[in-house]
Amino acid sequence: MQDQLIQWRRWFHQHPELGFMEYYTTYTIGKELEALGFTVHIGREALASSARYGVPAPPLLHQQEKKASSLGVDADWMDKMRGGHTGLVATWDTGKEGEHKGFRFDIDALPIHETELEAHLPYSEGFVSSNPGVMHACGHDGHITIGLGLAHYIAAQPSELTGTFTLLFQPAEEGGRGAKAMVDKGWLTDVDSFYTSHLGITPMKVGTVAASVEGFLASTKLNVHFRGESSHAGMKPEDGRNALLAAATASTQLYTIPRHSEGPSRVNVGKLEAGNGRNIISDTGYLELETRGETGNINNFMLQEAKRIIHASAAMYNVEATIEFVGESQGIVCDEDMLSSIPLEEDSYMNQILTSAKVSGSEDASFMINEVQAHGGKATYMLFGTALPFNHHHPSFDFEEDALAVALETYIHILQGGTTT
Amino acid sequence: MQDQLIQWRRWFHQHPELGFMEYYTTYTIGKELEALGFTVHIGREALASSARYGVPAPPLLHQQEKKASSLGVDADWMDKMRGGHTGLVATWDTGKEGEHKGFRFDIDALPIHETELEAHLPYSEGFVSSNPGVMHACGHDGHITIGLGLAHYIAAQPSELTGTFTLLFQPAEEGGRGAKAMVDKGWLTDVDSFYTSHLGITPMKVGTVAASVEGFLASTKLNVHFRGESSHAGMKPEDGRNALLAAATASTQLYTIPRHSEGPSRVNVGKLEAGNGRNIISDTGYLELETRGETGNINNFMLQEAKRIIHASAAMYNVEATIEFVGESQGIVCDEDMLSSIPLEEDSYMNQILTSAKVSGSEDASFMINEVQAHGGKATYMLFGTALPFNHHHPSFDFEEDALAVALETYIHILQGGTTT
Amino acid sequence: MQDQLIQWRRWFHQHPELGFMEYYTTYTIGKELEALGFTVHIGREALASSARYGVPAPPLLHQQEKKASSLGVDADWMDKMRGGHTGLVATWDTGKEGEHKGFRFDIDALPIHETELEAHLPYSEGFVSSNPGVMHACGHDGHITIGLGLAHYIAAQPSELTGTFTLLFQPAEEGGRGAKAMVDKGWLTDVDSFYTSHLGITPMKVGTVAASVEGFLASTKLNVHFRGESSHAGMKPEDGRNALLAAATASTQLYTIPRHSEGPSRVNVGKLEAGNGRNIISDTGYLELETRGETGNINNFMLQEAKRIIHASAAMYNVEATIEFVGESQGIVCDEDMLSSIPLEEDSYMNQILTSAKVSGSEDASFMINEVQAHGGKATYMLFGTALPFNHHHPSFDFEEDALAVALETYIHILQGGTTT
Amino acid sequence: MQDQLIQWRRWFHQHPELGFMEYYTTYTIGKELEALGFTVHIGREALASSARYGVPAPPLLHQQEKKASSLGVDADWMDKMRGGHTGLVATWDTGKEGEHKGFRFDIDALPIHETELEAHLPYSEGFVSSNPGVMHACGHDGHITIGLGLAHYIAAQPSELTGTFTLLFQPAEEGGRGAKAMVDKGWLTDVDSFYTSHLGITPMKVGTVAASVEGFLASTKLNVHFRGESSHAGMKPEDGRNALLAAATASTQLYTIPRHSEGPSRVNVGKLEAGNGRNIISDTGYLELETRGETGNINNFMLQEAKRIIHASAAMYNVEATIEFVGESQGIVCDEDMLSSIPLEEDSYMNQILTSAKVSGSEDASFMINEVQAHGGKATYMLFGTALPFNHHHPSFDFEEDALAVALETYIHILQGGTTT
């Protein structure tokens, strides 16, 4: 099946779409799954519309919707997905009693211009992004591929399978924007065991699998809009209400939030844009920022401090600040033993299973993992090793396609056994 | 002649071009002056190439050059102007002994989207900008018009005219970028009396003329580029060198430069752009700023402080700062008596001449005025009254076209008499 | 009389007392004036208790009161002055019709350790401060002396004197704390002409008198107390509410208040004290600051901005800020012609009278001058020239004692003539 | 022996002395140990003079030396200790082959005014500090007591003791100032096993012993002096070089040092003093600060960032900064098994031994522990449980005196056995 995996991966790599605009991606996955016999839920059936974070502005959505239609997405699919309701949930019932297993694959790409150099395989092999400025630079093309591979295996109805399966193809993982909307729709409330995974992240060779991770930080993503009053900087400096300075002050001050004694925390302002012209007191300021914490408690501390600092910075210059929540993820504690029953055989793609790997960063799969565990289920986040010539989110990011077979083999073992064997 | 003035003004208003890209404007003025018999100097004959500040980037210039060609500008004119060598100098010798008089008219427009509302005369009368995002919002369309009117009067060779005349149609006044390049070419070294002017600025009725101004501040315009090192804000915050914070810190700190006891000073950061994405320690920061001072000494104090603060802000975050000088103007002391011999007659457009008007802001005509005075000549900056429904640089800026005749009449009086009568 | 002037000056120089603690000084002046026949008003008769700014803390007052008693100040005087009610008003009626003239002399010293070097005349001549850490470093010892000289002249009842005289010996000029309390008591409401003065300030030779000044800025003096919550910086950094950072942030931010287009403004934080120990998040912060402006309007702008910035800085760190008003002075416009009738004779100490001198800084005599002018009187602030080896407020400050005779002669001319001759 | 322990503890509690000024304390301990037969090393024999951090200024030392003499400290002891050479090392040789065991007890008090309330046992029982403003608020009075108890046990020469013992009574633990000086004198180079301890710290009941700790942070203590130039804030603001603003800016900016991904870090400015008077641009600024990190590497990162920020803050205002190192401590990794052979018997004071306890904060015993381990020895830092009505360093700090017997019993077990049984 390895050829098929590579073919899929390259197709999705060539057709990247940004979060909540994965119209063509969702449609392509959905048609495949329907053909296999899965029950497919899309649009507002798949996710809770109001629980989505950071949905793009209507004109942007509209433009992508037109493009998807022109690429051949059916009108009835478009009707359901319109307005950023991408992603899908596919369910399968073996008809035999057994566990309800949940699997999640994230499907969105990043706003990055992909490298066009011979040394970059997607370019030299001709499957570089066909969507300028958008790129699968975090391996989600591989994640979709693994999901499709798993679906094909299930649909082949091997006799050993029991119970039911839910496959979540989640939109908008980047920025922590899509997972909660699927959780809020209720898909995870009676899942017994839940699995999701990432290619790469921690340096491990192809063939190595980490059964769980520790270190994902809870995180909140915010945009801030400052609104002041402009004035001529030479003629009437005293009439301005300087939104540029409010944004600048908030930026430096946010980094003064104290360290927390209970564990790691983070804050970052990653973007600042303010002002119009050199000789005008600026009436606008804009920030993109995030807080993180090892626990929800620590992240919440960071968030509350950040909000106070932002409003105080606005007050400092007599301007108004509006804080917009655009994404969120939680910390997680994986069940570490969920791959413990998997045997390593001589001819397998897998050749080492680590109990746990240390990571950092944040992931909105955390909402799903915590939801499953809150209802008594078990859940884990796995990693599949691959050499990485460039880091995730780099314009030259690429992974070893051999890792796809390792991942699929792992998921097939999970289907067969899981935590109960 | 008033109809002709209005016609010219509206034509230039409809064809605005940004500083150092006034190809079509320069060509239009130049062809008119050549037809009248003026000797016209363009390109590197008109200005010292390396003394220009803030010339737009080559791709932008190239784009405008192509556009100008497509609008019909002759190839040999384009060859001389290419690369941002716009503006022109036109000379006339009466053949009779007398003063050498210099006149300067600025010709550039602003990066502003012009209002499209019925209440806005240029829109309702159909001469709104045909160049989207560019607008004559500071009255330079009127200044060109006055210059053309003056040239027509001179070309009519009235018997009373003596001496020689130099008319400078200066590019890129906005941002203080073009005057010094004309000065450095030597056009002002033997001018006996020099006149330039602005429509509006100080609230005065149509018909009122201010013979001089006081209060223009010396000013320096700077762009600053900060270059740091990016890093993942969650995984490796300690590896970043934060250029966003350097730019933010410089911004707030610049405003802490002390007041100067010898007179007014100003500093403003009018634009700040930094960062790429929320979860990345930013490796770039960019500022547009200006300093001002009542005297060159005060402005220099502001500038030296600003430079130190910018470099210290960079050092604070271990990033590099590059400071780019993009414009400059000086303070001026006008000769106040240069209109003193002009009579106010019953049927004249002028009905009041004020000795001096209080202004603020900055003007690069200051370089010309100071040059003339340094060589023993006399010089002034005049204002022509007009009601202003909206301030200069506003998307709905407009002036009373009656003011054009007032201005032309004043200049004709100057031609006839000047300081020596 | 010159010997007497020097003797007085040296005695007061040797016995300096800080503002609102000039018990011994007031008593010494008062007893002298009573002996001359003046009606002397002290304590709450002289000033409005609640209109005093920045009265020292009770224990400090108490200590100085005990000291004054031990130096021989009568118990009934002490009873009236207790609690910081120092200074006095002395009135004289010639019994003849005429102007009501007001004169003000400030009497307080500064918290400065006086130099003990041979080169410092007060030390080498043995009249250095006998009150360690307190010094007449602004010439108020000379001002008292001039006042006493004037009183002696009045008491000699020369026949040419007419009208009534009010002599205000004002406490606590430093910091702008005492003048308003005398004004609020009503002493200036029917004064026809008012005179006060300073030794030095502007560089002028002995013998030169400036009849008026321009440039005193309106000013407000504030202390700020920040109160946060301490915490161990290593163990529980997140529990602190950092008052040190609030004070530091307020300090830097206060300097970012925009320049005002209508005239000069100032802001300064002259003292910052915060924190307890290196490893403790600080729960206290303290600032001493001042705002200034050419007009009351400009100073008020500075003050309102300062208050907002202080409260925003407190909010930034979740601490409380209390703002205490401790002094105030106003801008003034002197009547410039009040010395215009004074003749310069060959044998006079005065040898030049300037119409006006340029100063900066602030003075609470402004309250008196504005009060007199508001009621239709005329008022001025004069300067008497003297060489100054060191600036005002320097530990080695001293002035030329010859300037005392110049000043007294000027005041005697004023007594004789004034604005009406 | 419990009565004796309590008696000692209360005596030392009543006679607290600050770091490097423990003249009377050292003398009292030393005389006791000499009487017991220990060889006692004091002054420059006990510690390397130049390796001490943060020695108080000579006038302060001199004052305390006079006081110690007046309290009866022998002149020859004073001669050796003069100049801040306090603390002592006492050695004992059993004459039998065996391990060289080292023990360290810190002896300094804190600059805190002790509570005088009935609810505070030292007050109600009459052993409150007799040295106003100085207090044993961290239990070092108890530590000395444990050391004396241990010495008495050793001197009783029980037959089971073998090998040699070194008891270090260390000065100036607060601020991490004294330990390194004893290490540099070479006392720890051939110690086989090393023990030191603290009362309290982690919440544990009396009777509970933690055999080791984890979590002490490496730390560096700095003072910073900023030197600028003063100027009159109203008259010549542009002439000042503002050291107050440099200190304030450094303070806020220091908190912006990024979090470190490898582990906890800290920074704190605990004291800021700047400026002279309200209307003077400040020419002085002073900071007391510290950095911390879980590892030496992390602390070093914090330190290097701090130094750059301090110098950049100085450059920002054109002032000079001098950084003074005044204390240091390292991170440690205890040998956890050093109490593993101690039996818990029914009648013992100890009733629970935890392998390890989590702490934070910093300790300069780290220098000793790292030195012993670097030479192949084993070392640990123990905790003895006690209820704490108020935290360490609180004016009402007190501990349960029953904990002293628990500690002594533990140390006696160590003497008898240690790591080799």
Side-chain angles (χ1 to χ4, degrees), chain B residues 45-245:
Chain B
E45 279 179 43
L47 39 69
S49 181
S50 65
R52 298 169 302 158
Y53 289 115
V55 178
L60 260 171
L61 292 174
H62 190 58
Q63 185 183 328
Q64 292 308 310
E65 287 157 6
K66 275 170 63 179
K67 188 170 167 189
S69 296
S70 79
L71 287 166
V73 178
D74 285 354
D76 56 333
W77 281 67
M78 281 314 303
D79 285 349
K80 289 183 178 168
M81 294 192 290
R82 203 174 302 286
H85 298 89
T86 50
L88 64 85
V89 179
T91 54
W92 185 276
D93 189 340
T94 63
K96 293 180 241 168
E97 206 164 302
E99 277 202 337
H100 177 188
K101 290 179 177 156
F103 304 96
R104 171 266 204 176
F105 309 96
D106 42 359
I107 67 174
D108 56 322
L110 285 155
I112 291 175
H113 281 81
E114 186 160 10
T115 300
E116 305 206 343
L117 293 169
E118 281 304 319
H120 182 55
L121 188 89
Y123 181 72
S124 61
E125 293 293 317
F127 61 97
V128 79
S129 168
S130 63
N131 189 359
V134 183
M135 174 187 177
H136 270 299
C138 196
H140 298 189
D141 47 348
H143 298 173
I144 300 168
T145 298
I146 297 164
L148 287 182
L150 184 66
H152 271 259
Y153 183 86
I154 291 169
Q157 308 196 39
S159 59
E160 77 272 18
L161 296 190
T162 60
T164 55
F165 306 118
T166 299
L167 279 64
L168 302 107
F169 287 84
Q170 178 206 311
E173 185 276 331
E174 300 292 346
R177 300 179 292 136
K180 191 161 190 298
M182 288 187 146
V183 168
D184 281 15
K185 200 66 192 178
W187 292 108
L188 282 310
T189 52
D190 67 348
V191 165
D192 298 306
S193 55
F194 176 85
Y195 304 82
T196 187
S197 56
H198 212 294
L199 292 159
I201 303 291
T202 291
M204 300 186 304
K205 283 194 220 165
V206 165
T208 301
V209 179
S212 69
V213 296
E214 53 182 323
F216 275 136
L217 301 175
S219 180
T220 303
K221 318 295 184 184
L222 308 173
N223 292 345
V224 185
H225 302 266
F226 294 95
R227 166 81 34 199
E229 195 165 323
S230 65
S231 180
H232 191 285
M235 299 189 204
K236 280 282 172 194
E238 72 272 21
D239 283 357
R241 295 189 293 117
N242 199 322
L244 183 150
L245 287 189

Side-chain angles (χ1 to χ4, degrees), chain B residues 379-419:
Chain B
T380 195
Y381 192 101
M382 305 175 290
L383 300 183
F384 298 110
T386 167
L388 293 176
F390 293 92
N391 273 335
H392 296 267
H393 295 208
H394 191 283
S396 295
F397 175 81
D398 193 21
F399 61 86
E400 293 181 274
E401 292 172 333
D402 288 353
L404 297 170
V406 177
L408 182 54
E409 188 185 43
T410 305
Y411 275 100
I412 289 171
H413 273 292
I414 289 165
L415 278 183
Q416 294 166 338
T419 61

Side-chain angles (χ1 to χ4, degrees), chain B residues 234-240 245 249 253 256 258-262 301 305 308-310 312-318, chain D residues 234-238 240 245 249 253 256 258-262 301 305 308-310 312-318:
Chain B
M235 299 189 204
K236 280 282 172 194
E238 72 272 21
D239 283 357
L245 287 189
T249 297
Q253 295 292 340
T256 69
R259 270 76 171 162
H260 200 290
S261 65
E262 290 168 15
F301 167 77
E305 291 287 300
R308 203 193 52 249
I309 286 170
I310 289 163
S313 297
M316 189 81 87
Y317 297 97
N318 204 14
Chain D
M235 301 188 202
K236 280 281 173 195
E238 72 272 21
L245 287 187
T249 297
Q253 295 292 339
T256 70
R259 269 77 170 164
H260 201 289
S261 64
E262 290 168 16
F301 167 77
E305 291 287 300
R308 203 193 52 250
I309 287 169
I310 289 163
S313 297
M316 190 80 87
Y317 296 98
N318 204 16

Side-chain angles (χ1 to χ4, degrees), chain A residues 134-172:
Chain A
V134 182
M135 174 188 177
H136 270 299
C138 196
H140 298 188
D141 47 348
H143 298 173
I144 300 168
T145 298
I146 297 164
L148 288 182
L150 183 66
H152 273 259
Y153 184 85
I154 291 169
Q157 305 196 40
S159 58
E160 79 273 17
L161 296 191
T162 61
T164 55
F165 306 117
T166 298
L167 279 64
L168 302 108
F169 286 84
Q170 179 208 308

